[in-house]
Amino acid sequence: MKRKIAAIFAADIAGYSRLVAEDEEETLRRLASYRQVTDDFIAKGGGRIFNTAGDAVLAEFPSAVEAVRCAIDIQESLRTRNMAYPPSRQMAFRIGITIGDVVERDGDLLGDGVNIAARLEGLAEVGGICVSRAVHEQVVNKLSVQFADIGAQEVKNIPTPVHAYMVAMRREDGTYSIPQVKKPAKASAQPTWMWPVAVTLVSLAAIGAGGFLYFTKLETQAVKVATPAINVSPAPSAVPAPTAAPTAAPDSKAATSSPPPAPSPPPIGSTEKFAAANVPFVSDKTRTSLAGEYAGARDFKAFSLNTGGFSAWVTAQPSEEAARTAAVEQCQKRADAAQSPRKCELYAAGDDVVYAHGKPPVPPLPWVRHDAVTEQPFASKDVPLTRDAGKTRFENIYVPGKKTKTIALGPGGAFFFFTAMDSVDEAVRRSLESCGAVAGVPCMIIALDDNFVVPIPTTLRVTGFFKAAGNAMISPEARDDVARRIADATSGWNAVAVGAAGRPGLGLKAATEQAAVNAALADCVKRDGDCHVIAIGPFSVGPH
């Protein structure tokens, strides 16, 4: 047997047994896909998987820095993949990392280092990372990562408490979460005389809470019964209308996107009246046709669409149910014929909007700003936040695609692009609407025709969208000022650096990316120490 010091990485899937019980085949299929992601990142970071069991993965790294960097890459990549599933079906890892003395036997590793990594994984949040103090000391000054000290934690089968830290994970908007302590350190023992008092108080509280919840439940049920579901059925015409053939709305000339869409919010009732100018995803020509043919048609009628821009409507149907069914079926046939992965859904029944998901999120205007200083020729390899498969799609479809064409990108890596559009305004609008529906948050136009229209960093790795107002790395009292100054700097390259105390330094309106970076660092060191760049242009950044 051989002893050595190694960084031990332990991961497993939160709620894995429940996911298997609900849908075994689908869970196992996705596990294989997600394991491919984790295995690739582990290998890329110089790690070695030494044990697996079901959903669990144990790996060793020669460097704590590489282990933490690998864990962050895995969590961010899987977070993007999970956006395609409803919360109840998302498959998220918890990861624990420590440095310890281990024994190697037949390729497997044994010892306290392995056990502690597994216990730290149990402390981690769903989709989060928990590390030991030894790892924190190795990493804190080498990676642009924030930690939350959760103190000494008593864990199963480890005789002494383990001092642990949570890694602050990046949100979709580029800001960082504040980790929550999952298991607090064991409290000191209370005097024996307090137990009867505590039991009495807990019992009284339970009785009171039970009574409150019981009556609250009755009130909630009464409200549900008293509130009718919105399902407007227009009165039939005095003269029966003839049955018309379904009318398929014209579709976009070319459209494509990132992998399957983000989970849709739960259905909600809508009181909005149909207006063709407000219909998302579809072309301007389709809106014009809807304004004339659909809006002026007699009941029963319905209109269906999907986020890729496919749509269909029917009019003069024998009943509302028939209209709803025919509209969705016709739309889905068109989508299937074009191999669109997006599901068609009912948007309007009669003159009422019944679409459950509301308007897709889009950013504030202007959606495109041209700046000769920062615009550069489009290159698929330079598109940030996207994996190799996405870059290949850009190269094979977007680059040779006809103008007008645009790419919209989300902060988590979701994207959507259209080619051969009739106008810039239509291309930009549709890309942002479809990308926003996929990502669940506003996207950004990064390319128009053959140029990047936002600054694309190359000196550092893009990690998300930068928003100064909510950025936890900047001291609270400075955030509004940083946001204001960046908003005023509408041309040239901008960069933001921060120091250990969160005091920011800015490099604004620079002629080059490197000049902005240098200016931000120089400004930061005037008022803080250990400065590093956290944003370039509209993006948050970190080390390559």
Side-chain angles (χ1 to χ4, degrees):
M1 293 188 294
K2 175 183 175 184
R3 283 192 174 274
K4 62 180 178 180
I5 301 294
I8 305 299
F9 168 110
D12 78 353
I13 294 172
Y16 181 71
S17 298
R18 175 186 59 80
L19 293 169
V20 171
E22 290 176 354
D23 190 336
E24 182 177 25
E25 291 187 2
E26 190 264 351
T27 299
L28 293 176
R29 177 184 60 78
R30 285 177 56 204
L31 173 62
S33 172
Y34 283 26
R35 274 295 309 276
Q36 184 64 52
V37 173
T38 61
D39 293 2
D40 288 348
F41 276 118
I42 289 171
K44 181 180 177 181
R48 177 185 74 90
I49 296 174
F50 63 85
N51 203 335
T52 61
D55 61 312
V57 178
L58 290 170
E60 64 167 326
F61 287 81
S63 160
V65 172
E66 292 303 327
V68 173
R69 179 182 286 129
C70 171
I72 293 170
D73 287 342
I74 287 172
Q75 296 293 38
E76 291 186 349
S77 177
L78 295 185
R79 183 191 65 196
T80 301
R81 287 174 173 251
N82 273 328
M83 292 169 66
Y85 300 92
S88 63
R89 292 300 302 166
Q90 290 184 4
M91 186 178 288
F93 279 89
R94 296 173 300 189
I95 299 176
I97 303 172
T98 191
I99 299 174
D101 185 86
V102 293
V103 174
E104 184 173 3
R105 184 175 63 189
D106 298 329
D108 197 3
L109 298 183
L110 308 170
D112 281 349
V114 178
N115 295 335
I116 291 173
R119 300 303 177 228
L120 290 169
E121 170 263 303
L123 292 173
E125 296 177 301
V126 175
I129 304 164
C130 185
V131 304
S132 66
R133 179 162 54 188
V135 171
H136 175 262
E137 291 171 352
Q138 290 290 321
V139 172
V140 66
N141 293 322
K142 298 182 179 68
L143 293 178
S144 297
V145 178
Q146 290 186 314
F147 294 90
D149 186 347
I150 63 172
Q153 302 291 310
E154 294 198 13
V155 294
K156 184 178 179 182
N157 295 333
I158 304 298
T160 57
V162 178
H163 198 115
Y165 294 77
M166 297 283 200
V167 176
M169 300 304 297
R170 184 172 57 86
R171 302 186 183 98
E172 286 79 359
D173 62 0
T175 62
Y176 289 80
S177 63
I178 300 175
Q180 302 297 316
V181 180
K182 183 179 179 182
K183 295 180 181 178
K186 187 176 180 181
S188 58
Q190 299 295 335
T192 304
W193 62 266
M194 290 186 67
W195 281 104
V197 176
V199 171
T200 302
L201 290 174
V202 169
S203 300
L204 291 173
I207 293 169
F212 172 79
L213 292 175
Y214 174 77
F215 287 108
T216 301
K217 182 177 180 182
L218 290 180
E219 291 176 3
T220 304
Q221 290 173 338
V223 170
K224 291 180 179 178
V225 171
T227 306
I230 296 175
N231 185 10
V232 180
S233 298
S237 172
V239 180
T243 302
T247 304
D251 182 46
S252 62
K253 299 171 185 174
T256 188
S257 71
S258 55
S264 300
I268 56 175
S270 172
T271 57
E272 181 184 352
K273 289 298 181 182
F274 179 84
N278 295 335
V279 176
F281 315 131
V282 301
S283 67
D284 291 342
K285 288 181 178 178
T286 298
R287 284 180 164 184
T288 300
S289 298
L290 285 165
E293 298 177 29
Y294 181 83
R298 302 175 65 181
D299 282 329
F300 293 102
K301 58 185 180 181
F303 170 62
S304 178
L305 51 64
N306 76 359
T307 55
F310 292 90
S311 61
W313 69 83
V314 295
T315 61
Q317 297 294 296
S319 67
E320 181 176 334
E321 186 61 32
R324 289 171 174 251
T325 301
V328 173
E329 287 180 350
Q330 291 299 317
C331 176
Q332 196 62 55
K333 284 180 181 179
R334 299 198 67 220
D336 292 343
Q339 298 183 336
S340 170
R342 314 290 167 180
K343 179 183 176 182
C344 284
E345 297 181 71
L346 197 68
Y347 180 84
D351 293 323
D352 294 294
V353 174
V354 296
Y355 193 56
H357 314 305
K359 292 180 174 62
V362 296
L365 293 169
W367 289 338
V368 177
R369 277 188 176 139
H370 291 284
D371 182 3
V373 177
T374 58
E375 283 193 24
Q376 53 189 303
F378 177 81
S380 301
K381 65 179 179 62
D382 293 331
V383 177
L385 299 172
T386 56
R387 297 175 63 82
D388 290 342
K391 298 180 192 297
T392 299
R393 296 178 70 189
F394 293 138
E395 191 65 25
N396 294 339
I397 304 174
Y398 182 82
V399 170
K402 294 181 180 180
K403 300 177 181 178
T404 298
K405 53 187 179 181
T406 56
I407 298 175
L409 178 71
F415 63 83
F416 217 103
F417 63 84
F418 284 90
T419 65
M421 294 289 96
D422 292 333
S423 69
V424 171
D425 288 345
E426 178 180 309
V428 169
R429 171 183 64 81
R430 295 185 66 186
S431 293
L432 287 174
E433 288 175 342
S434 295
C435 181
V438 170
V441 293
C443 294
M444 175 196 309
I445 295 294
I446 63 165
L448 173 60
D449 290 335
D450 298 322
N451 290 308
F452 285 118
V453 291
V454 295
I456 304 295
T458 57
T459 58
L460 292 168
R461 180 175 65 95
V462 173
T463 59
F465 290 2
F466 177 72
K467 292 185 179 180
N471 193 288
M473 301 182 74
I474 303 174
S475 59
E477 66 276 8
R479 293 172 191 169
D480 289 344
D481 181 62
V482 172
R484 178 186 57 78
R485 293 176 62 187
I486 290 176
D488 292 340
T490 56
S491 64
W493 286 87
N494 299 326
V496 180
V498 295
R503 299 187 181 95
L506 302 182
L508 304 177
K509 299 182 179 181
T512 66
E513 177 185 358
Q514 192 60 59
V517 167
N518 293 343
L521 290 171
D523 189 34
C524 177
V525 297
K526 294 176 182 178
R527 56 183 66 89
D528 209 337
D530 191 23
C531 292
H532 60 282
V533 175
I534 62 169
I536 299 175
F539 299 104
S540 58
V541 294
H544 281 293

